[in-house]
Amino acid sequence: MSNQVCVIGIYVPDISKAIDFYTNTLGFEIYKQYGPKIVSLVHGELPIVLEENENAIYNQDNKISGVALGLRSEDIFKTVQLLKEKDVTFIVDEPTDCPPGKYVSFRDPFGNVLEYIQFTNF
């Protein structure tokens, strides 16, 4: 049995809104549209798949989810500026120290938690 992660799936209540956020705000590109409710994003060896699901809900009460998607930043300060220009909803809006370097934390339009991390301690 292998325990290697092979895909990251993000369930969303609105695929159009998800595509807009992940492409126009975060800069991902669409790799393939598998149907009206599922799309994969260009992301190297580990694909990210957005899937509209009727059971996915908007996290309107801002509870922290059990999983956060971490994205690499080469310049965390520049990344924060770009996200602020896109009116992203931040949890931590100033680069903050963490064991591997610095991070910021924010939400997608549905309340899913994402982080940008600049690795400086490796």
Side-chain angles (χ1 to χ4, degrees):
M1 180 168 74
S2 172
N3 290 329
Q4 185 173 5
V5 175
C6 64
V7 66
I8 297 170
I10 301 174
Y11 294 108
V12 297
D14 182 331
I15 193 70
S16 297
K17 198 171 190 177
I19 290 170
D20 179 59
F21 179 80
Y22 283 87
T23 59
N24 294 326
T25 300
L26 298 185
F28 285 100
E29 295 177 20
I30 293 174
Y31 172 70
K32 188 171 183 180
Q33 182 100 29
Y34 293 98
K37 295 185 176 189
I38 187 166
V39 64
S40 127
L41 304 174
V42 174
H43 188 253
E45 302 276 324
L46 185 63
I48 295 176
V49 173
L50 304 174
E51 182 176 354
E52 185 174 308
N53 184 300
E54 61 192 38
N55 294 318
I57 59 169
Y58 288 87
N59 183 1
Q60 295 174 331
D61 55 4
N62 292 328
K63 291 182 178 176
I64 297 296
S65 64
V67 176
L69 182 63
L71 306 168
R72 181 186 295 264
S73 172
E74 297 302 322
D75 183 340
I76 195 80
F77 295 96
K78 184 175 180 181
T79 298
V80 167
Q81 184 59 41
L82 293 171
L83 291 175
K84 286 183 176 180
E85 290 171 8
K86 301 279 187 174
D87 293 323
V88 167
T89 302
F90 281 94
I91 300 167
V92 176
D93 68 345
E94 293 298 324
T96 301
D97 290 335
C98 63
K102 293 192 177 297
Y103 83 102
V104 293
S105 184
F106 60 101
R107 296 182 185 280
D108 74 4
F110 317 106
N112 296 312
V113 177
L114 298 101
E115 297 178 342
Y116 267 106
I117 303 165
Q118 181 176 343
F119 294 96
T120 57
N121 295 329
F122 287 101

